[in-house]
Amino acid sequence: MRFVIITGLSGAGKSQAVKYLEDFGFYCIDNLPPTLIPKFAELCHQSQGALDKVALVIDIRGGMFFDDLFTSLESLEALGYKYEILFLDASDNALIKRFKETRRNHPLSGDGSISKGIALEREKLKELKARASNIIDTTNLRPAQLKDELTNIYVEGNESNNLIISIVSFGFKHGIPLDADLVFDVRFLPNPFYIEELRNFTGNDTKVREYVMNSPVSVEFSNKLNDMINFLIPQYIKEGKNQLVIAIGCTGGMHRSVTIAHVLHNYLKEKGYRVLMNHRDSSLSVGRKG
């Protein structure tokens, strides 16, 4: 039996995750009091396979009952019941934005301060996150991408190293992405903006990518970038990092940055990493120096 406990930060996507797991055939229960977990697990094991995939959402909405969770987990272990913990996380900025968009109050923001509520929740969940079997950082994930991550873990059964790599192309004229961990400036590469028949296309188009990558400098830079990122990723995984944002910028975010983002994305995909790609400014830069 697969017994999954879903937890994490409020606003990080637990409700969405439950919907997807239900689609995958999991029997899901939201906000079960932690003291009932061992008894429920026993009932599941007695169902003779009728309940072979179960997911429980346990989080700080349980209030005073949430503190019983670790005792319940110890009881599960004593009874020989295996379980997994799926922890959903997101950056403070992303969580604050989501709460403001939905006009909801954070469960722990007694004085109305969302940021204080998030800080308190992080502290309460710190030990639980350390025990997590899988951690998904949803900061830059669209719903479909979250579904892909859950499919990878709970349908295809692939092991997860908990690191999601987001590659973001951008234009320096529009500002550096605030959540970037690594920033690379590719404004020294050949610029398709000066080629009239390429100017209004982007690095998403084959002819633009071919023009940029036809330069020996572009090829050498790309190879060195691939080598460095390939070296860094295991170090970040060892550190316990869950989200790595690699920002690649050119002048307008239309040609060169998009091209290099594609090349890096394809390289990391071939290496088996969980990688996303977002061209932040390509649609803003049409007809501008890129």
Side-chain angles (χ1 to χ4, degrees), residues 77-247:
E77 293 165 3
L79 293 169
Y81 296 148
K82 294 183 178 179
Y83 64 88
E84 304 170 50
I85 297 176
L86 169 64
F87 192 99
L88 296 179
D89 200 354
S91 69
D92 286 6
N93 288 338
L95 294 173
I96 291 171
K97 181 180 178 182
R98 292 171 190 176
F99 274 104
K100 287 184 176 180
E101 287 176 347
T102 58
R103 298 183 180 180
R104 293 172 51 221
N105 291 325
H106 189 280
L108 298 182
S109 58
D111 62 354
S113 171
I114 298 175
S115 58
K116 288 184 179 179
I118 293 172
L120 287 172
E121 187 175 24
R122 284 196 187 282
E123 183 61 30
K124 287 182 70 72
L125 296 178
K126 184 165 59 175
E127 183 179 348
L128 190 57
K129 182 178 181 180
R131 294 193 184 193
S133 312
N134 292 290
I135 301 172
I136 298 179
D137 190 311
T138 66
T139 301
N140 296 304
L141 292 186
R142 296 188 298 274
Q145 292 171 323
L146 173 59
K147 185 176 183 179
D148 288 343
E149 289 297 317
L150 294 172
T151 299
N152 181 59
I153 298 170
Y154 297 107
V155 177
E156 298 175 357
N158 296 325
E159 286 191 19
S160 168
N161 57 36
N162 291 329
L163 179 68
I164 297 177
I165 305 166
S166 295
I167 302 173
V168 182
S169 69
F170 72 97
F172 278 96
K173 64 168 62 178
H174 306 298
I176 297 174
L178 296 177
D179 58 349
D181 297 298
L182 300 171
V183 179
F184 296 95
D185 183 350
V186 297
R187 286 176 289 187
F188 61 91
L189 300 181
N191 192 351
F193 175 83
Y194 296 111
I195 308 300
E196 187 173 352
E197 59 266 30
L198 299 178
R199 182 173 301 165
N200 291 320
F201 291 90
T202 75
N204 290 316
D205 298 290
T206 302
K207 53 189 174 182
V208 170
R209 292 203 296 271
E210 288 178 347
Y211 174 83
V212 174
M213 297 309 297
N214 193 43
S215 164
V217 173
S218 298
V219 173
E220 183 176 0
F221 170 76
S222 179
N223 289 337
K224 291 181 182 296
L225 177 62
N226 290 347
D227 286 344
M228 183 173 70
I229 298 302
N230 193 47
F231 166 77
L232 289 173
I233 289 174
Q235 314 310 317
Y236 285 126
I237 292 174
K238 185 177 180 180
E239 181 194 349
K241 194 172 181 61
N242 308 124
Q243 177 88 353
L244 175 63
V245 180
I246 304 171

Side-chain angles (χ1 to χ4, degrees), residues 234-279:
Q235 314 310 317
Y236 285 126
I237 292 174
K238 185 177 180 180
E239 181 194 349
K241 194 172 181 61
N242 308 124
Q243 177 88 353
L244 175 63
V245 180
I246 304 171
I248 301 173
C250 58
T251 305
M254 179 179 175
H255 300 115
R256 295 164 290 180
S257 62
V258 176
T259 294
I260 297 300
H262 272 284
V263 174
L264 180 60
H265 174 270
N266 293 340
Y267 172 78
L268 294 177
K269 272 286 189 182
E270 290 176 0
K271 299 289 286 186
Y273 291 114
R274 302 154 73 197
V275 56
L276 309 172
M277 183 166 57
N278 173 36
H279 304 303

